Amino acid sequence: MTGLLRALVPRPCPGCDAQLGREAGLCAACRARLVPRVEAYSPLWPRPEGHLVTLGPYRGVTRRAVRALKFGGARDLAGALGGALAAGVPPEWNIRAVVPVPLHPARERERGFNQAALLAGAVAAALNVPAVPALRRTRATGQQARLHAQERGANLAGAFAADARGLPPGPVLLLDDVLTTGSTLLACQGALHAAGVREVRFAVIAR
């Protein structure tokens, strides 16, 4: 949608319900609240070291934006969220590709898109590296949000496989929309390691 059409069609901002006008995805005020940060502590890493980029806790603008993208089909949000996230990726990570967490094909057909893939495309474009769908789901799994923390790892055991042939050499950025217990990202990291990818860093919109 062009800027002129955006201005002519009344659209509420998913982050605050103000009118978007010519803005795509989020209004200027909500974009200003998307401040990326590198985190050194999470279930994903064994020692205190920067390894995870986020836009903050899963509340307020980030929560509303993620839900609008994921369940409301507001695909314009991928550019705003992905661009903000890419701004926080440290240059010293030397990221060579962005890999999205995949949906099972049946779930993706039902939803019509994979929100992580949309975000990965936006992040990759901002970093000037490829977005590579190197992961696939080998089986359908129950929704993680409906499981207790101790059940999530078992639910995802063996659920992912990786093909590293399309990846350039070097570190990759593994991307998902939200981090809770970390089970999904750890399972994907394990699949990438098994395929020969040595260094994986992480990015999520919120945790």
Side-chain angles (χ1 to χ4, degrees):
M1 187 182 292
T2 66
L4 178 59
L5 285 176
R6 292 191 190 102
L8 293 174
V9 178
R11 296 171 303 125
C13 171
C16 67
D17 287 331
Q19 287 301 304
L20 279 175
R22 290 178 178 266
E23 297 289 340
L26 288 170
C27 70
C30 286
R31 284 173 183 261
R33 296 189 180 98
L34 302 179
V35 181
R37 63 192 191 195
V38 177
E39 301 196 17
Y41 297 91
S42 88
L44 304 172
W45 211 257
R47 57 189 180 277
E49 178 180 285
H51 62 281
L52 170 68
V53 180
T54 81
L55 297 180
Y58 186 57
R59 62 172 182 257
V61 171
T62 54
R63 181 180 185 276
R64 290 191 291 270
V66 166
R67 291 186 64 82
L69 171 62
K70 193 170 181 176
F71 304 116
R75 301 190 193 192
D76 275 0
L77 281 165
L81 296 171
L85 201 58
V89 176
E92 60 268 25
W93 285 5
N94 197 29
I95 296 299
R96 294 304 185 195
V98 182
V99 176
V101 170
L103 287 176
H104 188 271
R107 181 71 59 78
E108 188 165 347
R109 284 194 299 270
E110 177 184 334
R111 185 170 294 168
F113 63 95
N114 175 6
Q115 71 279 355
L118 293 179
L119 291 165
V123 172
L127 296 179
N128 197 29
V129 300
V132 181
L135 288 161
R136 61 181 176 86
R137 292 224 181 207
T138 58
R139 61 179 175 82
T141 57
Q143 291 189 14
Q144 290 289 91
R146 297 179 179 178
L147 300 176
H148 296 296
Q150 62 268 29
E151 297 173 320
R152 296 187 179 196
N155 182 49
L156 292 169
F160 298 96
D163 183 348
R165 287 176 294 181
L167 289 170
V172 304
L173 187 69
L174 180 59
L175 187 143
D176 204 0
D177 53 359
V178 177
L179 167 69
T180 48
T181 66
S183 298
T184 299
L185 287 167
L186 286 172
C188 288
Q189 180 192 44
L192 288 168
H193 284 333
V197 178
R198 297 183 61 185
E199 189 172 350
V200 179
R201 303 279 176 156
F202 304 91
V204 296
I205 299 304
R207 60 173 302 195

